[in-house]
Amino acid sequence: MQGYGKIQVYTGDGKGKTSAALGVAFRACARGAKVLMLAFLKDDPEYSEAIGAHLLPGFTLKQVGRDAFVNFKNPDKIDLDMARAGWEQAKEAIANQQADVIILDEINIVLQTGMLPVDEVVGFLSAHKGGAEIICTGRGALQELCAIADLVTDMREVKHYFHLGVASRAGIDF
């Protein structure tokens, strides 16, 4: 769509990175755009975005991680394979402009922990700027990614009810 083609990064230790990306998705779909969200590290059908994905016209969610703890210091082969397979899907979608907005949810963590090569991902995204709007979420966004981004938002935790013993809430936190 006209005016799209920027790279956005939502990072930091505060809540709301995926929520911000979903807000963009909502707005884009309201304007007739097609949105593809690839959820790295998330394959739980109980996530609210997975439950409600079909409710938003033009929105497609693909969960490309597994619903299990990932040891980021020594990831299992299956986690590395799933990150690679998800990245291959992302590259195809970006190169072929399969959507107007492509959300790479938690890709920042995948890059920070070395599950995918930073230079490969950053090089590809840089080479394909100007097509789809690309949104990268997750804690620990690397400087290399931030350097090519057009927008970087660092969400900082000031206060969180989790520290008072409030568990994650369906429909609010996931």
Side-chain angles (χ1 to χ4, degrees), residues 36-38 40 61-65 82-96 98 102 104 124:
L36 171 63
M37 178 174 176
L38 295 163
F40 291 83
L61 170 66
K62 295 183 180 182
Q63 294 176 305
V64 296
M82 292 182 86
R84 170 55 61 188
W87 173 238
E88 294 302 323
Q89 287 182 55
K91 288 190 329 188
E92 181 178 336
I94 293 166
N96 296 321
Q98 293 174 357
I102 299 174
L104 305 177
F124 183 87

Side-chain angles (χ1 to χ4, degrees), residues 157 159-168:
E157 181 180 314
K159 186 177 187 179
H160 197 304
Y161 44 78
F162 176 79
H163 300 296
L164 299 174
V166 177
S168 293

Side-chain angles (χ1 to χ4, degrees), residues 73-92:
K73 293 182 191 223
N74 187 24
D76 290 338
K77 182 177 182 327
I78 189 169
D79 295 313
L80 296 173
D81 290 346
M82 292 182 86
R84 170 55 61 188
W87 173 238
E88 294 302 323
Q89 287 182 55
K91 288 190 329 188
E92 181 178 336

Side-chain angles (χ1 to χ4, degrees), residues 73-139:
K73 293 182 191 223
N74 187 24
D76 290 338
K77 182 177 182 327
I78 189 169
D79 295 313
L80 296 173
D81 290 346
M82 292 182 86
R84 170 55 61 188
W87 173 238
E88 294 302 323
Q89 287 182 55
K91 288 190 329 188
E92 181 178 336
I94 293 166
N96 296 321
Q97 297 187 5
Q98 293 174 357
D100 302 300
V101 176
I102 299 174
I103 301 168
L104 305 177
D105 190 43
E106 306 296 358
I107 191 79
N108 298 346
I109 295 173
V110 170
L111 294 174
Q112 180 209 34
T113 58
M115 294 176 69
L116 288 173
V118 175
D119 57 343
E120 175 187 339
V121 174
V122 170
F124 183 87
L125 293 178
S126 183
H128 289 83
K129 277 179 85 165
E133 192 85 4
I134 307 296
I135 302 174
C136 302
T137 73
R139 295 173 182 253

